[in-house]
Structures are given as C-alpha cells and as structure tokens.
C-alpha cells in the first residue's frame, strides 16, 4: 500500500501560503506524514490502525510495472498525454529525454483508437470514461500501467509543474485549449 497526505506533493505549495492561510490549507498537526519525502510504501498489516480513519491521509494500492507513468494534462478540449520516465518511488513527470507525448482533442476520445505510439487503447478508454463523468475544464491526471491495464491514481485540480517555467512544446497546445475554452464561453 502507498500512504501519503491528501495534499498534492505533501502540501509543498501550501507551505508557501501566508501564515494566516496555512492553518486552513496546510497539513494538520495530527497528520503523521509531514511531507512528500515522508510518503510510505508499506504492507497492509504494517499500517497503523488509526491511519485508516485519518482524513488527512490517503492510503491506496501501490501499482508499479516499470519506470514509467502517464501524465495527462487537460485544458479545455486539449489533452496532452505524456509517457514519462522516473526511477523514483514517487514518480514525477520531469521532462526526461525519453518522455513522449501526444495531443488528443477531448471531443474525439470516444473514437476507436488504435495504439498511438506507446499509448494503448485502454488509456483512451480510461480518459473517455473519466472526462465524461467529470467534465473538468482544467486538470492533471497521474496514470499508471500494471502491465495489463491503465489506472488513474491521482487527480490534481491545480497541477503544479515546477519552479522554473517549462519550455515543453505541448504547453502551447494547452494554452490554445485555454484560449478556446474562454472564447467559447464569451
């Protein structure tokens, strides 16, 4: 099992809030995990019984197949699907040289997709189901592959990318998706 906080990346961004806002948005004092580097990979029988009921913790199945993860950024109709590489326990998309990405228009997700590069049909089916149930305008998903199936393991409504602005080519597509979204709502 994987035990982590209910805040993205252990609440790193929340620790940067002004002091008067931190109590409302940061980790609570009774949270036994204090930061992203305190996340734990544990057997079910090793987890403290009271942790199961702690509203500040997330306990989930740990799914790992290899050193990859899929990250899906959504902005308007634009979806960028990235096959990222990371050897870390907590896999992050860090613009590794071997990463690959593909653009998909959300309105076309129900099409009959064949394998696009290393992006199998099962991934598109997961995304089509998610976006039809949760029609969010802006989000980021972490998806893992266990060797057979893709599983959405994390949803971030305010995706955090990094300290420095990225020069990734796909960001222009997401910006265009945001522009189209705001234009359609005027």
């Amino acid at each position: 099992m994987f035990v982590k906080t209910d805040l993205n990346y252990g609440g790193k961004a929340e620790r940067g809030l002004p002091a008067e806002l931190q109590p409302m948005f940061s980790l609570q004092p009774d949270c036994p995990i204090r930061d992203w580097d305190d996340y734990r990979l544990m057997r079910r029988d090793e987890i403290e019984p009271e942790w199961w009921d702690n509203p500040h913790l997330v306990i989930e199945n740990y799914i790992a197949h290899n050193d990859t993860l899929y990250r899906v950024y959504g902005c308007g109709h634009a979806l960028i699907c990235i096959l990222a590489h990371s050897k870390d326990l907590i896999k992050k998309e860090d613009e590794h040289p071997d990463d690959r990405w593909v653009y998909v228009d959300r309105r076309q997700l129900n099409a009959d997709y064949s394998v696009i590069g290393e992006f199998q049909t099962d991934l598109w089916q997961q995304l089509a189901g998610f976006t039809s149930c949760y029609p969010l305008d802006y989000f980021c998903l972490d998806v893992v592959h266990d060797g057979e199936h893709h599983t959405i393991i994390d949803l971030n409504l305010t995706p955090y990318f990094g300290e420095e602005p990225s020069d990734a080519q796909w960001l222009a597509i997401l910006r265009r998706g945001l522009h189209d979204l705001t234009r359609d709502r005027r």
Side-chain angles (χ1 to χ4, degrees):
M1 305 298 292
F2 197 57
V3 184
K4 61 183 187 174
T5 69
D6 68 341
L7 298 175
N8 190 28
Y9 211 54
K12 182 178 179 180
E14 288 81 355
R15 283 191 294 282
L17 290 170
E20 65 272 11
L21 294 176
Q22 286 189 20
M24 290 189 299
F25 297 104
S26 296
L27 288 172
Q28 298 303 307
D30 65 339
C31 186
I33 295 187
R34 302 305 308 164
D35 204 343
W36 69 267
D37 58 357
D38 194 26
Y39 289 1
R40 307 203 187 146
L41 183 58
M42 307 172 78
R43 288 189 333 264
R44 182 180 294 271
D45 63 354
E46 296 174 325
I47 297 172
E48 299 291 332
E50 63 272 11
W51 288 11
W52 293 99
D53 295 321
N54 188 317
H56 310 295
L57 293 178
V58 175
I59 302 173
E60 58 190 28
N61 286 327
Y62 183 73
I63 301 170
H65 172 61
N66 52 27
D67 291 336
T68 62
L69 79 141
Y70 294 82
R71 164 102 2 130
V72 180
Y73 291 97
C75 192
H77 296 302
L79 296 176
I80 298 295
C81 302
I82 300 171
L83 172 58
H85 296 79
S86 172
K87 293 186 182 301
D88 298 330
L89 174 67
I90 303 168
K91 303 206 179 312
K92 296 288 179 190
E93 189 270 313
D94 265 341
E95 295 186 25
H96 187 278
D98 292 332
D99 291 355
R100 292 180 217 44
W101 64 272
V102 64
Y103 160 75
V104 177
D105 185 305
R106 177 191 313 223
R107 296 167 291 197
Q108 298 172 337
L109 271 179
N110 291 319
D112 180 25
Y113 283 99
S114 59
V115 175
I116 301 174
E118 294 186 44
F119 300 85
Q120 295 91 5
T121 302
D122 176 59
L123 176 63
W124 306 127
Q125 292 168 340
Q126 290 288 329
L127 293 176
F130 177 85
T131 58
S132 67
C133 290
Y134 307 102
L136 303 169
D137 292 330
Y138 179 65
F139 64 90
C140 177
L141 297 173
D142 292 332
V143 182
V144 293
H145 190 258
D146 66 5
E148 293 182 37
H149 306 297
H150 289 86
T151 302
I152 297 170
I153 60 166
D154 201 7
L155 162 66
N156 294 297
L157 297 176
T158 55
Y160 173 76
F161 189 79
E163 305 272 335
E164 298 293 322
S166 171
D167 60 356
Q169 296 173 337
W170 50 263
L171 278 175
I173 295 170
L174 290 178
R175 285 187 195 102
R176 191 170 54 243
L178 182 60
H179 175 73
D180 293 346
L181 175 69
T182 56
R183 183 193 64 227
D184 292 346
R185 292 195 175 162
R186 286 184 217 155

